[in-house]
Amino acid sequence: MSTIPRAVVGAAARQARITLIRKYTSANGITTVIMSLLVLVVMWFLRDLEFGAAQVGAGGYIFCGFLAFGVIAAAVLGVAGELQAEREDGTLLRAKAVPHGMTGHLVAKLVAAPVDALIPVLPAMVGAAVLLPELRETGPGRWLLLGLVFLLGVVAMLPWGAVLGSVFRTMMGLAWAMISMYAVAALSGVFYPVAGWPAPLQWLAQLSPLYWIGVAVRSVLLPETAAAAEVGGEFRLVLALGVLLAWAVVGVLVAPVLLRRMARRQSGSTVQAARERVLAKGY
């Protein structure tokens, strides 16, 4: 029995590696990396523009927002899209038929998601460390802390990807859900502080884990003067890490349940019906 977990983990690691290689050797994967380079261009032109009372360059805020949304895109939008595609092409049905198949599938998602979030933003991270004055003082300890925030954010948001992938049965429905996620991210203070908003909107934003991902990234990378633009005039990094850890624990408990429930609904007839729908409607 002790060999089963090792076999599952080994198979999941191979699946994650193949998934990442296939994605980032395709046109879509390469385009994603190129978009990261375009963010560098924007940061360069805005490097001398200060953001209000924070006295921090707007380029720093753009970079932090880009980094925070990279976590959300990989863990929520990416996973939801993958699950929808896997449901329609029979991947989940095949995983269901293999002993520990769904467990291995989930482990593969947990392994691949942080790497999938990191690869597109890595060029921007290197460029920002060189171009942005406010990030040049960031030492190795801060970058390691950023890695922890990154990992916690991915694990905390992964279940939402499973929720979207399991609730919406068609790509069209999932597309509308993804558009809504962009709006939620914008209203949750991922890209900028919400301290200037009315108090009810501030409280509403803080109910979302997206808000705490944005705060955590800004608190790690921006100087202390940037805290002036945050709610209460401080970053509250410890609270942000605690909230993300709580969401991560809940996510680890919830994600397997959602995936198993979705897998139980899978059958040869449902896969065939999905294929016929795509052929007839295109989605």
Side-chain angles (χ1 to χ4, degrees):
M1 297 293 292
S2 61
T3 61
I4 294 178
R6 290 199 295 269
V8 170
V9 172
R14 289 192 295 272
Q15 179 182 336
R17 184 176 68 250
I18 292 170
T19 299
L20 291 169
I21 291 174
R22 185 174 298 172
K23 177 176 181 177
Y24 287 102
T25 54
S26 68
N28 287 338
I30 294 172
T31 301
T32 303
V33 176
I34 292 175
M35 289 299 295
S36 177
L37 299 177
L38 294 179
V39 171
L40 279 178
V41 176
V42 175
M43 289 190 299
W44 169 258
F45 283 107
L46 297 179
R47 66 191 185 281
D48 295 327
L49 179 64
E50 290 189 350
F51 186 86
Q55 298 181 347
V56 175
Y61 278 96
I62 292 174
F63 172 66
C64 290
F66 171 72
L67 207 59
F69 191 75
V71 173
I72 300 164
V76 180
L77 306 182
V79 170
E82 289 173 6
L83 287 176
Q84 179 65 37
E86 290 167 353
R87 177 161 54 188
E88 295 185 349
D89 65 16
T91 299
L92 289 181
L93 184 61
R94 292 190 293 272
K96 174 184 174 182
V98 177
H100 305 286
M102 289 307 300
T103 300
H105 202 64
L106 175 60
V107 174
K109 297 292 183 191
L110 290 172
V111 172
V115 182
D116 192 22
L118 180 62
I119 290 176
V121 302
L122 195 57
M125 291 175 68
V126 174
V130 175
L131 297 177
L132 300 180
E134 55 265 38
L135 300 185
R136 290 173 188 163
E137 303 300 324
T138 303
R142 284 281 176 172
W143 289 108
L144 289 175
L145 184 57
L146 178 64
L148 173 62
V149 169
F150 216 74
L151 181 61
L152 275 177
V154 169
V155 177
M157 297 308 301
L158 192 63
W160 291 103
V163 168
L164 292 180
S166 60
V167 169
F168 294 93
R169 303 295 183 89
T170 66
M171 278 295 184
M172 183 61 69
L174 184 60
W176 282 109
M178 290 182 174
I179 293 173
S180 301
M181 181 60 67
Y182 281 96
V184 172
L187 295 174
S188 297
V190 170
F191 303 103
Y192 41 75
V194 299
W197 293 7
L201 291 181
Q202 292 183 27
W203 282 105
L204 188 62
Q206 293 177 73
L207 293 177
S208 169
L210 309 187
Y211 169 84
W212 298 103
I213 293 175
V215 167
V217 172
R218 290 193 295 269
S219 65
V220 170
L221 292 180
L222 297 182
E224 290 297 325
T225 55
E230 300 290 340
V231 174
E234 56 182 347
F235 280 124
R236 300 179 292 173
L237 175 59
V238 175
L239 178 59
L241 293 177
V243 171
L244 292 179
L245 180 60
W247 278 91
V249 171
V250 173
V252 169
L253 296 175
V254 170
V257 176
L258 292 172
L259 287 176
R260 291 192 188 100
R261 182 178 300 174
M262 182 169 55
R264 281 197 298 267
R265 301 194 191 109
Q266 291 299 104
S267 65
S269 60
T270 57
V271 173
Q272 182 62 29
R275 290 176 177 173
E276 291 176 355
R277 187 194 71 246
V278 171
L279 290 175
K281 298 183 178 180
Y283 58 87

